[in-house]
Amino acid sequence: MFRIGFGTDIHRLVAGRPLILGGVHIESDLGADGHSDADVLMHAATDAVLGALALGDLGTHFPNDEERWRNAESSQFLRYANGLIKERGYSVGNIDSVIDLEKPKLRPHINDMRANLAAALEISVERVSVKAKTGETVDAVGQRQAVRAQAIVMLVKSS
Ligand SMILES: [Zn+2]
């Protein structure tokens, strides 16, 4: 009837890369390093869905040594995961997530991120929560070395 899944992701912050979180381009002097567009929120959300379905992780489905995923828009990973949800007769009950980033402040972008996640999962935005925290100047996040995201998703059997 119900399945729950958890996903987490971290990317290094470097100069000269865009910072894309939940499909939203964030104005920042540092961006996320990675093979695709390095969108930690989309990656964590995708991992949460794959976890709920016990179908491995993002790397299983989208190997990062494959050229076709270079700079790929990560919303396609979540849309792919949504296809697996439907294939197996489930729908998303709700998804909650946290982004850990020292700066800039993400509050102005939260609703756009929620809308992007909701669109990829074909659910209403009220079912999608995105929260943001800083690293309080400590650890890799606080020292602006990394951006991290965690997501948890509840799937409900629909057929
Ligand atoms: Zn990632």
Side-chain angles (χ1 to χ4, degrees):
M1 187 70 191
F2 299 104
R3 298 191 72 118
I4 194 163
F6 176 67
T8 181
D9 194 33
I10 187 167
H11 282 258
R12 288 192 312 128
L13 287 176
V14 294
R17 282 274 301 180
L19 181 60
I20 296 165
L21 294 171
V24 178
H25 191 124
I26 312 287
E27 203 67 47
S28 171
D29 56 330
L30 300 179
D33 198 17
H35 187 69
S36 63
D37 67 3
D39 186 330
V40 285
L41 181 54
M42 286 288 177
H43 293 181
T46 303
D47 251 7
V49 169
L50 295 174
L53 295 169
L55 289 174
D57 61 18
L58 192 65
T60 315
H61 295 262
F62 302 98
N64 67 4
D65 55 359
E66 274 187 30
E67 195 53 38
R68 63 190 163 132
W69 307 124
R70 183 177 297 281
N71 295 321
E73 201 179 295
S74 293
S75 59
Q76 70 184 294
F77 302 147
L78 190 56
R79 284 200 301 273
Y80 166 86
N82 185 46
L84 298 176
I85 293 172
K86 292 196 287 188
E87 221 175 83
R88 282 161 177 76
Y90 286 89
S91 64
V92 174
N94 72 301
I95 180 164
D96 186 21
S97 61
V98 182
I99 302 169
D100 295 313
L101 180 71
E102 192 63 12
K103 67 177 188 180
K105 288 275 177 256
L106 296 177
R107 193 182 307 268
H109 307 290
I110 293 289
N111 280 336
D112 288 340
M113 295 180 199
R114 292 175 65 208
N116 289 340
L117 291 179
L121 292 169
E122 298 178 285
I123 54 176
S124 63
V125 76
E126 302 84 71
R127 291 173 186 266
V128 181
S129 163
V130 176
K131 310 189 296 295
K133 297 182 76 73
T134 72
E136 295 287 338
T137 75
V138 295
D139 215 329
V141 168
Q143 295 293 311
R144 301 197 73 209
Q145 294 166 348
V147 55
R148 181 191 296 117
Q150 300 176 89
I152 189 162
V153 64
M154 172 75 80
L155 304 184
V156 183
K157 194 85 182 175
S158 58
S159 56

